Amino acid sequence: MEQEPFGYGEGEEIDRINSGASRPMESRMYQHRHFPGMVRQKAYIFDGMGNYYTKEWDLTEGIGNEFCWYHVELPRGNQKLSQSAQYLIDVLCPPLKLQDILSLVSNGPFCGHVDGALVFRVNSHGLPCSNFTFRIAARVTQNSVITVSSGRVPRLGFSPMGHSLLSEIPSVESPLNDRGEPKEGSGIVIREHVLEFLLTMNHSEEADNPVPRSVSNLLVHIVDTHMDHLQDVLTKMEIELDSVELELDKGGFALKKQMLDDRRFPKMLLNLQRLLQAIAHGEQVFPRVKEKCASKDWFALEDVNALEELVGRLRRLKDNVGFMVNRVTAIQAGLDSWQSEQINKKLYYLSFLSIIFLPLSIITGVFGMNVGGVPWTGQRDPELKDGFRNVMFLCLAMLFLILLCFICPYLYTRFLAWQRRRDMKRSWSFNKKSFLRTVGVQAQGRNGYLRI
């Protein structure tokens, strides 16, 4: 069964509610589609005055102050990298060439000029279906931007504010209580899993999302939403780790054993390493993007400063991931220590049991020797008829001596602790009497009043 990626199903439902109804964008392609419906496409045109409109998918550039944005969402599945490249070829070629498409879909960090356009990508390695595989690539020119992402990136697109999910107070619909019955006066209904998704985000779905007035504003918006996506995943992991720590505090033997068997924390460490890899790719790419954009005359200076702030935010995000790694490592070390204690306790019980049977094994070894002169072995002699009883007494005596060797240090430690407490109590009692005697003498000398 294919794993549903983080935030993908919730994002589709948010887009559906925000738009008020399902409004498919008109898409007119002049060539035959080999993979129809496999990717999601969004096309916008901006007039440079704070307004935007959806447009047909023709991959044309804007004229004058106008600029266009074409966004492709690749499906999150178990397809190979070559299959993702075929999807892009299907929707971007022509006018893009194969070299442009391969620079967008390849793995690893990259920033450079390809066929006269600025191309950068922060595609992390791993299966596309994983929640910790982040892919975002962009091809930037003066009047157009083409972006490719794996799955939905929250807050990346634009939607009308009039039909917002958050503009009214919704009624939460729980899956346990959902029986398909209509609710009177419910208004906007929000599902419980969508509400949980919104709570894991460090931003609102539509707040702080102004319409860009230039390509530089749009580029800053794309990088900012990518940072928010990374932060959302880290916030979800922090919430999950907090709940796990609370369960560990309240749980007992069965819960800890289950977590060790499921290898929950090693898997969490592996996911954090993948997240750290995606952040490291951003640290390599985004400073170079800032340097290359600073040399463009159409890139605004305030947007260069905004990119610099986003690079600093990325470094702080890396520090937070390091803190999470330390927390998970500490919890895993505590569980390993607990498991070692359980093993040592079982070994202690086993060794104690072997100590109980040690005298018997010694006696049987001695009396099992095939030599003459062993006492109490002549059972035919009437004087030695109680030989078995004497052997049992000897076993009990040896067991008593062994237990005494174990108990004496414990009793000696308890005796020393009792003696120390008695000395401390005696010293405190003596000091108390001396203090009261001194206070009484001073109070008598000052007519019953104690000088403070």
Side-chain angles (χ1 to χ4, degrees), residues 326-364:
N326 294 335
R327 287 179 61 186
V328 176
T329 305
I331 296 176
Q332 181 63 36
L335 284 179
D336 293 339
S337 177
W338 173 82
Q339 188 179 28
S340 301
E341 290 178 359
Q342 298 299 318
I343 295 175
N344 293 335
K345 188 179 296 184
K346 293 178 180 179
L347 291 177
Y348 173 77
Y349 293 150
L350 184 62
S351 61
F352 192 79
L353 186 63
S354 63
I355 288 173
I356 294 177
F357 289 99
L358 180 61
L360 183 60
S361 62
I362 294 176
I363 298 300
T364 55

Side-chain angles (χ1 to χ4, degrees), residues 239-272:
I239 295 175
E240 180 183 358
L241 185 59
D242 292 339
S243 62
V244 169
E245 289 179 346
L246 186 60
E247 290 177 3
L248 282 176
D249 293 339
K250 296 181 179 180
F253 179 86
L255 178 62
K256 295 179 181 178
K257 186 68 169 57
Q258 183 66 31
M259 288 186 177
L260 285 171
D261 294 340
D262 294 342
R263 296 182 56 82
R264 187 167 186 176
F265 295 105
K267 293 178 182 178
M268 191 176 294
L269 279 176
L270 181 60
N271 293 332
L272 285 173

Side-chain angles (χ1 to χ4, degrees), residues 74 81 88 98-114 117-125 134-140 146-150 219 222-223 226 277-289 292 314:
L74 295 175
L81 194 61
L88 282 186
L98 181 61
Q99 180 183 5
D100 301 328
I101 294 175
L102 294 182
S103 63
L104 293 173
V105 77
S106 299
N107 283 331
F110 174 77
C111 178
H113 289 88
V114 179
L118 176 62
V119 177
F120 69 88
R121 67 171 183 266
V122 286
N123 297 343
S124 58
H125 301 272
F134 303 91
R135 297 176 180 270
I136 185 73
R139 183 181 184 273
V140 185
I146 299 176
T147 55
V148 179
S149 68
S150 179
L219 184 59
I222 294 170
V223 177
H226 175 67
Q277 184 187 33
I279 296 175
H281 288 174
E283 281 188 325
Q284 298 178 32
V285 171
F286 294 139
R288 296 182 59 187
V289 172
K292 293 183 179 297
L314 192 64

Side-chain angles (χ1 to χ4, degrees), residues 7-196:
Y8 196 65
E10 293 88 344
E12 289 182 345
E13 187 163 354
I14 291 174
D15 286 343
R16 179 182 60 79
I17 300 177
N18 288 344
S19 59
S22 178
R23 300 185 305 167
M25 187 192 311
E26 296 183 0
S27 181
R28 301 175 183 175
M29 297 299 296
Y30 298 100
Q31 71 272 14
H32 177 68
R33 285 292 186 86
H34 299 283
F35 306 98
M38 294 304 298
V39 298
R40 297 181 61 185
Q41 304 167 211
K42 297 179 181 179
Y44 304 98
I45 183 170
F46 303 87
D47 59 0
M49 303 297 293
N51 301 315
Y52 75 96
Y53 311 93
T54 58
K55 67 185 299 292
E56 62 183 18
W57 189 270
D58 53 7
L59 298 177
T60 58
E61 296 190 0
I63 301 175
N65 293 329
E66 294 182 349
F67 58 97
C68 302
W69 180 24
Y70 304 94
H71 179 63
V72 181
E73 292 181 7
L74 295 175
R76 280 187 176 269
N78 291 323
Q79 71 272 7
K80 297 181 180 179
L81 194 61
S82 59
Q83 187 67 37
S84 300
Q86 292 177 13
Y87 292 157
L88 282 186
I89 292 173
D90 192 31
V91 297
L92 297 180
C93 184
L96 266 64
K97 302 177 182 178
L98 181 61
Q99 180 183 5
D100 301 328
I101 294 175
L102 294 182
S103 63
L104 293 173
V105 77
S106 299
N107 283 331
F110 174 77
C111 178
H113 289 88
V114 179
D115 198 13
L118 176 62
V119 177
F120 69 88
R121 67 171 183 266
V122 286
N123 297 343
S124 58
H125 301 272
L127 294 175
C129 61
S130 174
N131 298 340
F132 298 88
T133 300
F134 303 91
R135 297 176 180 270
I136 185 73
R139 183 181 184 273
V140 185
T141 60
Q142 186 174 357
N143 293 100
S144 71
V145 176
I146 299 176
T147 55
V148 179
S149 68
S150 179
R152 179 183 179 273
V153 179
R155 208 173 61 87
L156 183 61
F158 296 91
S159 59
M161 290 290 293
H163 305 88
S164 173
L165 171 67
L166 307 176
S167 59
E168 299 181 16
I169 300 178
S171 59
V172 180
E173 183 178 10
S174 175
L176 299 178
N177 300 329
D178 186 14
R179 300 179 180 176
E181 300 177 358
K183 300 179 180 180
E184 298 181 358
S186 58
I188 295 181
V189 177
I190 178 174
R191 295 188 179 274
E192 187 175 3
H193 71 279
V194 179
L195 180 60
E196 292 178 354

